Amino acid sequence: MMILIEYGDKMKIVTEPTVTIIAKQVFLGHPDYPIPDDGNDATKIGAFAAKGCYDSFGAEGRANEENQLAILEHQHGSVLEHINFTLFIEGITRGLSLESNRHRPLAVSQRSTRYTAEEDASIVLEPYFAKLWNKYKPFIALEKDDITEIGDFNIDELNFIVSHISSLEESFHAYQKDVMWLMKMNPLSLSGFDLRKWARGKARNVLPHALETRITYTGNIRAWRWFIEARSDRHAEPEIRRLADVILNVLRKEADIYFSDFEVAEIYDDIPVWVPKYSKV
């Protein structure tokens, strides 16, 4: 669940991403080439594709789930490319999107900063900053007035997170002022939507990497497996590691058979490192 916290006049703070499956495929079957009835639509799609390679159709043939586990074991990853899931991701930074959008097998549709108003947008705290914010928020928000109530209190941590949040808020104020001045100057004599788009397109240069973005991604199972494997690695950037962990847990609810071989190798920087039994399928 994405956690939103108000800070200052309008700026909201997000401390976790939210991933929602908004679309998945339906297996319709073929009138002349039956397969067994076990498994969900994703498993049936994968099994049909695999059985087509060997002409091993038949309602009484090898079970679909058994077939797909063998596909993983033998690393026939091309079969997994027939199975797609579409995810809507919220609560990640535009900085993270520069990395996630490099996964070219994924189809990407991202929230625009040119066509949308960012005056009341949110900022996202990467894991370490989120940890500090959650620790000191009661004191910063004046919910508590005794700093001794905060366990393991560290004045440098408190000063840092306050300074960091204040800097982000200042960038939003600068954006609002730039939009106002640009719309007032209006050198192209624009109006309405065109004027707002023109002003926002220029003012967005002062917005921080921490600005929240929202993205719709469509990817096949092979692409999602690689995203999780690569971005869960301890050497990956912490925010995208946090996202990979959430994506894995969401996809497991719909297609567990394709992600059940992922196991936690270690907890690094408070985030699981997921390693698949069948790597780079």
Side-chain angles (χ1 to χ4, degrees), residues 115-135:
Y115 287 85
T116 59
E118 300 294 354
E119 289 87 349
D120 59 350
S122 303
I123 61 101
V124 178
L125 298 180
E126 64 87 55
Y128 178 67
F129 294 167
K131 181 179 179 180
L132 293 181
W133 171 253
N134 289 331
K135 179 178 179 179

Side-chain angles (χ1 to χ4, degrees), residues 203-239:
R204 64 181 172 176
N205 289 304
V206 301
L207 291 171
H209 261 355
L211 178 72
E212 184 208 8
T213 193
R214 302 165 202 155
I215 308 177
T216 301
Y217 285 114
T218 297
N220 59 60
I221 292 293
R222 192 180 203 179
W224 287 123
R225 282 181 60 90
W226 174 241
F227 182 96
I228 295 164
E229 179 177 354
R231 297 304 184 172
S232 177
D233 186 271
R234 64 180 292 163
H235 300 294
E237 198 274 332
E239 189 192 358

Side-chain angles (χ1 to χ4, degrees), residues 11-275:
M11 190 179 78
K12 295 179 287 293
I13 295 173
V14 181
T15 57
E16 294 178 8
T18 296
V19 177
T20 305
I21 296 177
I22 64 167
K24 56 184 179 180
Q25 293 168 298
V26 175
F27 178 72
L28 300 177
H30 193 287
D32 300 322
Y33 301 101
I35 61 172
D37 289 333
D38 70 293
N40 58 18
D41 286 321
T43 307
K44 290 176 181 176
I45 291 169
F48 187 94
K51 289 172 182 288
C53 296
Y54 305 103
D55 199 17
S56 58
F57 294 110
E60 304 302 323
R62 190 180 196 183
N64 296 325
E65 291 189 353
E66 182 183 350
N67 173 281
Q68 290 301 278
L69 288 173
I71 288 296
L72 287 172
E73 181 180 356
H74 296 292
Q75 297 186 306
H76 296 325
S78 62
V79 170
L80 308 184
E81 295 179 13
H82 295 286
I83 310 163
N84 289 280
F85 284 92
T86 299
L87 311 182
F88 184 62
I89 298 177
E90 309 165 76
I92 60 174
T93 65
R94 287 193 69 85
L96 182 152
S97 72
L98 298 176
E99 297 190 31
S100 58
N101 290 349
R102 288 162 53 193
H103 286 258
R104 298 315 308 148
L106 301 178
V108 182
S109 296
Q110 183 170 5
R111 185 179 190 271
S112 170
T113 54
R114 190 174 174 219
Y115 287 85
T116 59
E118 300 294 354
E119 289 87 349
D120 59 350
S122 303
I123 61 101
V124 178
L125 298 180
E126 64 87 55
Y128 178 67
F129 294 167
K131 181 179 179 180
L132 293 181
W133 171 253
N134 289 331
K135 179 178 179 179
Y136 293 104
K137 175 185 172 293
F139 180 70
I140 298 172
L142 302 180
E143 296 172 1
K144 294 183 178 181
D145 56 10
D146 184 359
I147 60 176
T148 61
E149 295 182 33
I150 300 177
D152 192 26
F153 177 82
N154 184 306
I155 189 63
D156 291 331
E157 290 180 343
L158 174 60
N159 287 334
F160 168 78
I161 196 62
V162 169
S163 175
H164 180 70
I165 298 296
S166 297
S167 296
L168 294 171
E169 189 175 33
E170 288 171 7
S171 71
F172 274 83
H173 291 160
Y175 169 83
Q176 295 169 21
K177 288 190 289 185
D178 281 8
V179 170
M180 179 187 69
W181 278 109
L182 287 162
M183 291 182 67
K184 181 179 181 180
M185 293 185 291
N186 192 11
L188 300 179
S189 300
L190 301 172
S191 62
F193 173 78
D194 289 334
L195 176 58
R196 292 192 298 273
K197 181 180 70 172
W198 176 82
R200 291 168 181 164
K202 298 190 180 304
R204 64 181 172 176
N205 289 304
V206 301
L207 291 171
H209 261 355
L211 178 72
E212 184 208 8
T213 193
R214 302 165 202 155
I215 308 177
T216 301
Y217 285 114
T218 297
N220 59 60
I221 292 293
R222 192 180 203 179
W224 287 123
R225 282 181 60 90
W226 174 241
F227 182 96
I228 295 164
E229 179 177 354
R231 297 304 184 172
S232 177
D233 186 271
R234 64 180 292 163
H235 300 294
E237 198 274 332
E239 189 192 358
I240 204 168
R241 292 184 57 234
R242 179 174 67 184
L243 176 62
D245 179 58
V246 176
I247 289 175
L248 173 60
N249 285 290
V250 167
L251 288 174
R252 273 183 161 175
K253 295 177 182 178
E254 291 289 339
D256 183 60
I257 191 172
Y258 297 107
F259 299 95
S260 61
D261 63 313
F262 279 83
E263 296 182 351
V264 177
E266 62 175 318
I267 302 295
Y268 180 71
D269 199 15
D270 297 324
I271 305 169
V273 175
W274 292 98
V275 178

